[in-house]
Amino acid sequence: MKYLVSLLCVVSSTALAHGPTPQKTDESVLVNLSPEVVWKKLSEPCAIQDWHPSVTTCEAPEQNKRVLTLKSGGKIYEEFDEVLVSEMKISYRLGANSDTKAMPVSSLNGRISIKAEGSGTRVSWMVRYYRVDTTNEPPPGTDDEAARNAVNAYVKQGLANLEASSPKK
């Protein structure tokens, strides 16, 4: 019995020390443009500076990589894993050296997909990420809430601006 109690104490204490949980942002918007026009806006690596209000400049130093400078002054390095023209999908991840003050995450994987819907185009943007501080008790600004707020705002601002820049019906 003594061993059973000891075992339960060990199991319960390790269950409490689990680290961060993955977070997810999944948003979409209907844009009044053809899929081909939307694809061109999204698939050109540095076209993001033309449609995302948080991005002031973009550089593409190598194929499948870009460096985004945000209005906050921080830089985000992104690497494209897939650009599937036939499916109109882009998969990317946060690259090394990204400014964690600009985007308080330790890792991030995103996917943007485009599908015809009615006379417009459905743009879906899904992101999975972990907070910047992966310890059990992160300080404010490095926790799940900070990561969620930053990623949600970034995705929603981008999609809202795409929708606002499309012609009204």
Side-chain angles (χ1 to χ4, degrees):
M1 183 68 170
K2 185 162 101 176
Y3 294 110
L4 180 60
V5 171
S6 296
L7 179 63
L8 287 175
C9 288
V10 169
V11 170
S12 65
S13 69
T14 57
L16 294 175
H18 61 78
T21 56
Q23 302 295 309
K24 180 179 176 184
T25 296
D26 197 353
E27 298 287 333
S28 72
V29 67
L30 184 61
V31 179
N32 293 322
L33 295 168
S34 71
E36 295 76 23
V37 170
V38 175
W39 178 250
K40 185 166 176 67
K41 284 183 174 224
L42 298 178
S43 65
E44 294 292 324
C46 281
I48 191 170
Q49 67 188 2
D50 298 329
W51 60 266
H52 200 295
S54 296
V55 177
T56 58
T57 61
C58 173
E59 301 168 44
E62 298 175 46
Q63 186 174 356
N64 297 325
K65 293 184 180 187
R66 68 182 175 193
V67 181
L68 306 177
T69 302
L70 304 182
K71 283 185 178 176
S72 66
K75 289 187 185 277
I76 296 175
Y77 295 78
E78 292 181 340
E79 299 179 17
F80 295 93
D81 295 319
E82 292 182 318
V83 179
L84 303 173
V85 177
S86 63
E87 298 177 35
M88 293 190 178
K89 290 183 182 177
I90 300 167
S91 297
Y92 69 97
R93 61 190 145 90
L94 193 68
N97 302 321
S98 289
D99 184 353
T100 58
K101 289 186 175 103
M103 191 66 64
V105 298
S106 60
S107 69
L108 178 146
N109 292 295
R111 183 177 63 236
I112 299 174
S113 59
I114 299 165
K115 288 188 179 187
E117 185 175 310
S119 60
T121 301
R122 173 71 52 189
V123 180
S124 300
W125 194 345
M126 189 274 303
V127 184
R128 293 184 187 276
Y129 51 94
Y130 285 91
R131 67 181 180 234
V132 69
D133 186 328
T134 58
T135 64
N136 286 334
E137 296 189 32
T142 64
D143 55 5
D144 286 336
E145 181 180 8
R148 199 171 30 256
N149 289 343
V151 173
N152 284 347
Y154 185 77
V155 169
K156 287 178 181 182
Q157 288 169 1
L159 289 175
N161 209 48
L162 272 175
E163 182 182 33
S165 67
S166 68
K168 305 296 180 226
K169 286 191 165 193

